[in-house]
Amino acid sequence: NDATTLCNYGLLQQNVHSNFASAEHKYRRALDMDPNHAVALYNLARLQQDVAGDFNSSEELFRRSLAAAPDQAHVLCSYGLLRLNCYKDVDAAEGLYRRALAVDPYHVATLYNYGSLLEGARQNFSGAEEMYQRVLAVSPSHMSTLSNYGGLLHTVSRDYEAAESMYKRALDKD
């Protein structure tokens, strides 16, 4: 439909041409056609967060996207990142990550971000290790996970050989 085409065109403007004003215009036109278009709401939420720095608007758009289509792991994950990074709301972020993993237990971004939250904010190192292992089972060359997992093995587990292996794998992908 036209709203979906506008979303796709907006992504081209945003990601290829860095024309954020045009992308926003396309997303808003899509929402004029369909105020509950989950993709347009999500794309605009990300644009508001990443480009405009309007976290309140972004949060409202994430909520609306989830109201329109609740089982979107990528939206739950992105909303979790917003709650964690912009509002320092660890509990809300963790809840959103758990919901995302209930929808898609193999969603790499959620597994990675949840692992980072468990390692950093919760100091739950065994939980973080489990998440990192799950990422690598799905995406063996996920650079950020290899690096974070290497750091965990190095500083927490003191498994220097395994840490070195992770770092080398990450650098081989560089």
Side-chain angles (χ1 to χ4, degrees):
N1 69 32
D2 290 341
T4 299
T5 301
L6 282 165
C7 285
N8 291 337
Y9 192 15
L11 282 174
L12 175 80
Q13 292 297 309
Q14 181 176 342
N15 297 333
V16 175
H17 301 297
S18 297
N19 188 339
F20 305 119
S22 177
E24 181 176 358
H25 179 71
K26 306 275 184 288
Y27 303 147
R28 291 192 186 283
R29 279 186 50 206
L31 291 170
D32 287 341
M33 293 178 182
D34 180 358
N36 296 314
H37 194 280
V39 175
L41 290 163
Y42 170 75
N43 290 349
L44 187 56
R46 291 292 309 269
L47 187 73
Q48 292 298 306
Q49 177 182 340
D50 298 341
V51 175
D54 185 348
F55 306 131
N56 292 329
S57 174
S58 180
E59 180 168 26
E60 177 59 29
L61 291 161
F62 280 134
R63 285 182 182 178
R64 287 178 54 200
S65 181
L66 289 168
D71 293 335
Q72 303 177 86
H74 66 286
V75 177
L76 290 161
C77 179
S78 294
Y79 187 21
L81 274 174
L82 174 80
R83 293 303 310 167
L84 182 64
N85 293 336
C86 300
Y87 296 103
K88 308 302 181 215
D89 189 345
V90 174
D91 293 334
E94 185 170 15
L96 288 160
Y97 293 153
R98 286 177 184 256
R99 281 179 55 197
L101 291 174
V103 170
D104 180 356
Y106 305 104
H107 191 258
V108 170
T110 303
L111 290 166
Y112 170 74
N113 288 319
Y114 191 25
S116 294
L117 177 147
L118 290 171
E119 180 180 1
R122 296 284 191 223
Q123 301 287 294
N124 176 348
F125 302 120
S126 62
E129 183 170 22
E130 177 190 340
M131 291 301 122
Y132 294 153
Q133 288 172 348
R134 288 175 61 186
V135 171
L136 295 175
V138 176
S139 182
S141 60
H142 192 267
M143 233 165 99
S144 297
T145 300
L146 290 166
S147 180
N148 278 21
Y149 192 17
L152 178 72
L153 291 166
H154 169 199
T155 59
V156 176
S157 303
R158 305 258 191 255
D159 186 344
Y160 304 122
E161 188 175 316
E164 186 171 5
S165 173
M166 292 295 157
Y167 291 141
K168 283 181 177 179
R169 283 175 56 192
L171 292 172
D172 284 344
K173 304 300 170 203
D174 202 7

